[in-house]
């Protein structure tokens, strides 16, 4: 069996955690039992490109129990849990291609490894597998029956392809399920984003001014949880109806970016967020302000902006724009950026990561 | 039996409401039964100067059941419930001197009527009976055994007298009871203040910016309930520790009155409030802003300020500084003031009213 | 000009309040100015059957400013504000047929008075005008161009008619607007329901156990505001997805009516509510429990149930199932029922009233 | 320089984190600058027994800047951050005696190492240094000038000693400071307890029933944050006034342990908690229930109870009462116990840890 993971010796801890997570997934447990009895996927290959976490692991195991020949890669280079990847390989014999922190080249090599598997069914999270097959790996096209896509962003891409007549197999829009966008996006992303902030910073949230970019389902969850932890939340939103809703939910609305100068923590959950990470915004932020993005890994649009601001590596562990080493002079004003999905040990997954 | 009330014919409705209120006062019910058995006040005259409401009525009935010869006047000219006064007179034979909206002269005539009764025990709410006896009615001094005082403001006055050796009988500080300042001031004043705002204005609170003056026990309750109704709350507080607490409770702190220009509703719960009602403050308020005071009836310090702003009558029903009659030109900017205690039918009592 | 209202002398107070409300309706103000310039309704008769309140009054005035010949009756016999009706007649020359507390016969006479007006456009709230024209007043059919319907319940009736091919003119479903069901149903009904409870009962909500029937948009608002006022909220909901949402919003879910025995306040916002007012439910309620309905006036299905429980008149002012007069023995257990829409002076309107 | 820490090579990461924390401690920064100028502790030895964390490190550095000869050991074997201990030794030349997870014998050896230092001033957190000097190390008594004690528990012990005339030097009760019990106990413990639960379990709190034992300052914070994260909170409290307050704050009160059977998460913040960890309580808990204690390390009273329940090691990482290894039969019902202070990487400190 081929695979590409960090260290197979991490498997015992991973299994421990996969089993712990399964205790909190009673519906999937029921589905697994039905799958074991009915074997609906017998003879089918399933290629998943998802966050390699304990929850995904349980999903993979359920599909395998249903007869599927499963293979998995990461949809985000930063969220992979290496012990979980190890356990899937060692205990469940599921080939995994995912290493936390992998570089861009490795990321795409792993996607191609999934495609080499010639999946009948694709489980996509951002539509990278789907678009790669359409563009570069047409050799794998004929065996694909269809697939699922989890994120808003991915669905936007697929709908554009479908409209142009370019989508050559059917994809189900998982994000459209009420249980996805009303629950996962709101409660899941809400808790995990604030959890990411706490793990990366050790901040007491009570008393902090938290500026939430946008008021979509994810940002609603972030705003709700930031307030629940004692933060004072200001929402920036350009859509009038959502802005109205944020005010009626009791959040101060900031129509003209005035909060830039007194916010302590700035979050965003979408590439097209109301706080766009321009040089201007970072410049008005006060000393010690913290900006975090829970929606995407180091995106093409974010990186140049951060470089422009001398924040050369946005990953967790390199939080500010100048070396904090003792004896080295600090800049007059620190402005930090966190990729929240990468906060060590963060608890849950964000939708668009 | 002498008394001075609005209309004894209102008695049936008053009794109905007194009995309804008694259902929600289980502890007082138990006390009443004990009093009926033990008659601890037999032979004693009790003079109460309190809000003449259904709750006070039940307290008076309990004292009467304990053998007391009870007489009652109003501690606030605006909070008197005329039907309750009527029922106390008609059904319980308790002399009441209180008419909603009574003028200053009548107010003090009523206090003197209580003193004419030569009370052994005084139940004061603002210390007007106590100070009148000490200053103008020394003829009633010899029969007084002592009394109780309910408000922070009254206690401040009494402590000053005691310090000067001028307080000639003992007074119990009811406000110091945990069940008073932690519960009545916070939960009671909190709900009733926002209730007063809604009754006076018919506003939807969701989406409104509510500026709360101070962060004492009353203001904490107001802030809590304003947020609970969907308002975005900003707290102005000069005491550093209380200001810190307001921030940690998730409220935006306003150190330099900046919220004056964008607040929708301004509340205060104390004479020495952080938002002092100066000309300056009213002038920066935006069009349609509303200021309300739940702490005191038309005080000596408030009235001249309001007149200076051309707000000639702060009582409920005359909300703004120019006649709203159709055809009469409105001022460019409306700034309203409500005495929240006077909002028609307001549900509960504020501590310092 | 014909009309049927309580007392035209109430007009000045009504005008005062209509103008106050207009200050909080900036969008309608803008629409009115556009209407004055463009006169889009010139030559058209509009027949409204709506809650006769200050807000509706401003809507009628705006339509009139647009050239419409407007006539208005009440969609609920209990919500009419008699002073507003008087002002519309006296100051705006709009014929109104609405008297607070009118009986069923008068209610339908008033609907017929609107139809006598031969409206081109109908503004319905519960679809009583529309269904009366279709069934009993076909003489008015030919002049109708179409209309609007505001409530979920009314839309359900109209959709059934449309499906059967029985709806003879087009109706717009106002309730489908996001600003209606996401805002009015949630924030409006939420605040006004709790406001109705407080006005009817004078309860301190803090510390009360509030059982909310269902978790639709209205009930979500009620649950949110009951918690915001310090209540501990339990939600009963049979739809699994909504039940899941209520739990994730932090409310205790009650799957098996177990809360019946310890709830203090029971609300419902729909005829098909999760707490159906059966004898069983009232019987398990504890002494002093209070049930309120903010969704509908004394409905056909509610009345017999209440009679069965010896609660002969559910309107405000007759709150319990036995006379509370002093000297009359009380029942061992009081169970009260409030029609929240009828609470004297209640601030806002509920959707389905 | 003598010291006893895990690994001095961890120092760079520790310094990085100490400096990060200092950015959030502006008051201490100001104090440090004053200390540098005034050197108030010149010639004095200070022995601290506290949580060895980034915040304590900054306190030690400030004292050192004021001229103190500082030495530090751990007040809790589980909360020590080994990288911080290493940095204090390597970069600041402060002797530290603390290793995360140290056993009881090592713990007391480290306390004796502090005493060997012959401190003039003691900074105690649980009063172990103070009581050891009084009982076993009277050789160090003569040089002690006095000290500080941080916890409620420690102060109770010291007050008892003082009452018996047994306390031989003065101790300041830090916990009595408003900024300590109103802020640290409430906001600090509140966030860190829920953070500990999330780190140990990866649970989504939204929708969970959280049973909070007691309603003191710490438990108030836990209840507030558990609700803020979407939990439905039930409070068990035997003190009537605190129980009343918990209800008025909107939490369901559980007078008779009825919540034992349906709670998902049980917390406690005191040795004398309302939920006492008896066999009875664990037995009624439902399958998967989780009990956590954020108040104390493996206390003398807790350990035997846990052993009785076959939960042999309550530390993080061994969460349940039977091995979770695959292939080993699970018990019918899992009941887990977490020492929240020991959750890997938990963000903040609890008062009584």
């Amino acid at each position: 069996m081929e695979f590409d993971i960090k260290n197979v010796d991490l498997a015992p801890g991973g299994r421990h955690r996969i089993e712990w997570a399964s205790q909190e997934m009673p519906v999937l447990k029921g589905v697994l039992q039905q799958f074991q009895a009915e074997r609906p996927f017998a003879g089918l290959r399933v290629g998943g490109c998802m966050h390699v976490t304990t929850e995904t692991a349980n999903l993979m195991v359920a599909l395998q129990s249903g007869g599927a020949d499963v293979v998995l890669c990461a949809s985000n280079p930063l969220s992979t849990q290496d012990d979980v990847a190890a356990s899937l390989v060692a205990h469940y014999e599921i080939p995994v291609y995912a290493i936390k922190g992998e570089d861009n080249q490795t990321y795409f090599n792993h996607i191609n490894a999934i495609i080499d598997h010639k999946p009948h069914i694709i489980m996509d999270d951002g539509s990278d597998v789907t678009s790669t097959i359409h563009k570069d790996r047409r050799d794998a096209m004929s065996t694909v029956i269809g697939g699922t896509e989890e994120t808003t962003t991915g669905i936007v891409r697929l709908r554009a392809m479908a409209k142009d007549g370019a989508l050559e197999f059917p994809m189900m829009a998982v994000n459209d399920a009420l249980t996805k966008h009303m629950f996962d996006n709101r409660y899941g992303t809400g808790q995990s984003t604030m959890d990411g902030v706490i793990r990366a910073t050790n901040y007491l949230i009570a008393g902090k001014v938290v500026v939430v970019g946008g008021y979509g389902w994810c940002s609603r969850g972030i705003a709700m949880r930031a307030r629940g932890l004692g933060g004072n939340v200001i929402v920036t939103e350009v859509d009038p109806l959502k802005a109205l809703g944020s005010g009626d939910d009791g959040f101060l609305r900031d129509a003209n970016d005035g909060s830039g100068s007194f916010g302590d923590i700035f979050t965003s959950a979408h590439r097209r967020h109301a706080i766009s990470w321009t040089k201007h915004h970072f410049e008005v932020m006060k000393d010690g302000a913290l900006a975090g993005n829970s929606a995407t890994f180091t995106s093409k649009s974010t990186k140049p902006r951060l470089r422009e601001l001398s924040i050369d590596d946005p990953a967790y562990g390199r939080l500010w724009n100048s070396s904090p080493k003792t004896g080295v002079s600090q800049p007059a004003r620190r402005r930090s950026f966190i990729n929240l999905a990468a906060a060590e040990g963060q608890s849950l997954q964000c939708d668009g990561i």
Side-chain angles (χ1 to χ4, degrees), chain A:
Chain A
M1 189 174 95
E2 283 184 61
F3 54 86
D4 188 19
I5 61 174
K6 182 145 187 200
N7 183 357
V8 78
D9 293 345
L10 300 169
R15 180 162 66 178
H16 186 104
R17 297 203 306 113
I18 291 168
E19 286 167 356
W20 174 263
S22 82
Q23 310 279 5
E24 290 294 304
M25 304 175 87
V27 175
L28 189 66
K29 267 187 180 173
V31 168
L32 183 148
Q33 285 162 4
Q34 192 183 338
F35 279 4
Q36 282 178 324
E38 301 178 0
R39 308 277 296 173
F41 301 109
L44 292 176
R45 292 185 297 274
V46 174
C49 176
M50 312 181 83
H51 298 285
V52 180
T53 63
T54 55
E55 295 80 9
T56 298
N58 279 292
L59 174 60
M60 294 299 117
V61 170
L63 292 168
Q64 188 183 51
S65 300
D69 175 5
V70 179
V71 61
L72 178 67
C73 73
S75 63
N76 183 320
L78 298 172
S79 62
T80 296
Q81 298 168 353
D82 290 319
D83 59 346
V84 168
S87 176
L88 284 174
V89 165
H91 302 121
Y92 300 95
E93 299 188 9
I94 294 177
V96 179
Y97 299 85
I99 298 171
K100 186 178 170 75
E102 62 195 19
D103 62 19
N104 247 24
Q105 186 54 50
T106 310
Y107 174 76
F108 281 105
N109 288 347
H110 286 164
I111 283 179
N112 276 289
I114 298 302
I115 298 173
D116 292 342
H117 195 64
K118 298 284 165 73
H120 296 101
I121 296 170
I122 291 163
M123 303 185 81
D124 224 348
D125 188 324
S127 86
D128 277 343
V129 173
T130 304
S131 62
T132 302
I133 289 175
H134 278 77
K135 281 191 292 187
D136 307 322
R137 292 294 307 272
R138 303 200 56 85
D139 60 296
M141 182 67 83
S142 63
T143 44
V144 178
I145 298 171
T148 62
E149 168 52 45
E150 196 163 348
T151 65
T152 313
T153 306
I155 290 170
V156 168
R157 291 172 73 180
L158 295 175
R159 288 228 163 91
M161 288 172 72
K163 199 178 165 194
D164 296 344
L167 185 64
E168 302 184 29
F169 48 76
M171 291 291 286
M172 289 180 59
V174 173
N175 194 65
D176 291 358
L178 287 177
T179 46
K180 172 63 171 59
H181 70 259
M182 283 187 66
F183 292 85
D184 179 65
N185 292 23
R186 193 162 37 154
Y187 306 110
T189 304
Q191 177 175 311
S192 72
T193 296
M194 293 315 298
D195 183 47
V197 169
I198 294 172
R199 295 202 190 194
T201 66
N202 213 18
Y203 279 178
L204 183 72
I205 304 302
K208 289 278 187 305
V209 175
V210 182
V211 182
V212 174
Y215 204 62
W217 288 103
C218 286
S219 289
R220 255 170 253 201
I222 297 171
M224 191 192 299
R225 291 303 165 243
R227 174 158 66 187
L229 285 160
N232 185 282
V233 177
I234 297 176
V235 171
T236 71
E237 170 64 66
V238 292
D239 176 87
L241 198 65
K242 288 181 182 170
L244 183 61
S246 73
D248 280 4
D249 283 341
F251 302 112
L252 204 61
R253 279 166 288 182
D254 177 25
N256 56 1
D257 283 350
S259 54
S261 59
F262 65 97
D264 295 303
I265 299 169
F266 296 75
T267 70
S268 70
H270 205 280
R271 282 184 185 115
R272 296 165 306 179
H273 37 59
I275 302 170
S276 49
W277 305 114
T278 64
K279 195 165 180 173
H280 164 71
H281 288 91
F282 272 89
E283 280 175 359
V284 300
M285 287 180 191
K286 70 177 184 186
D287 182 31
L290 181 89
N293 189 349
S294 69
T296 177
F297 60 96
T298 325
S299 75
K300 293 181 192 72
S301 59
T302 307
K303 261 191 161 169
R305 285 179 185 157
L306 293 170
R307 262 193 228 105
E308 192 184 13
L309 298 159
S310 312
I311 301 178
D312 55 2
D313 183 350
Y316 174 73
R318 301 283 290 282
L319 295 171
W320 44 74
N321 62 346
S322 173
S323 166
K325 289 188 188 69
T326 304
V328 171
S329 63
Q330 295 263 344
R333 215 146 36 96
R334 295 166 304 120
R335 282 105 7 139
S336 310
F337 181 85
I338 304 175
N339 188 316
L340 293 167
E344 273 311 328
Q346 191 219 16
S347 65
L348 291 163
Q349 305 162 18
C350 300
D351 164 46
I353 295 172

